[in-house]
Amino acid sequence: QPLCGFSNAVVQILRLHGVEDYNAHDVLQDPDLRQGIKNYSNWPTIPQVYLNGEFVGGCDILLQMHQNGDLVEELKKLGIRSALLDAEKDQDKK
């Protein structure tokens, strides 16, 4: 369960696309992990999103990718078909 609004937004975006297989870590419980991940990515904020181990960005970047369609394409590269594509197909049928 996400503990902040930004983390919740990331989870909701992933769920919109039908992504269910993801890992989440509570960095509030481990200050070393919290600082370590910021150092590792050279990104100052949490949450941080990685696709297939590659750093993508934070909540703002994931939201932007969702809004402009890039997330659908990135998921496709990972072999994940976005659930939004099926939703669009269903809308077109109506």
Side-chain angles (χ1 to χ4, degrees):
Q1 185 65 27
L3 298 176
C4 81
F6 295 113
S7 295
N8 186 53
V10 166
V11 168
Q12 294 306 315
I13 291 168
L14 292 174
R15 286 181 181 164
L16 275 173
H17 287 271
V19 177
E20 296 177 7
D21 186 18
Y22 59 88
N23 291 315
H25 302 278
D26 183 359
V27 298
L28 296 176
Q29 298 299 318
D30 187 344
D32 291 335
L33 177 60
R34 183 180 177 125
Q35 188 56 49
I37 196 71
K38 291 177 183 182
N39 294 343
Y40 176 78
S41 65
N42 197 26
W43 191 262
T45 61
I46 304 289
Q48 294 187 5
V49 178
Y50 293 78
L51 297 178
N52 204 28
E54 184 178 329
F55 178 64
V56 174
C59 177
D60 55 339
I61 302 298
L62 195 70
L63 179 59
Q64 181 181 24
M65 290 174 70
H66 165 67
Q67 290 172 335
N68 68 21
D70 288 347
L71 186 55
V72 169
E73 293 304 313
E74 289 302 313
L75 292 173
K76 185 177 179 180
K77 291 177 189 176
L78 300 173
I80 300 170
R81 178 176 170 80
S82 172
L84 292 182
L85 294 175
D86 296 330
E88 287 174 6
K89 244 194 250 186
D90 289 345
Q91 280 294 78
D92 290 345
K93 289 180 183 178
K94 293 180 179 181

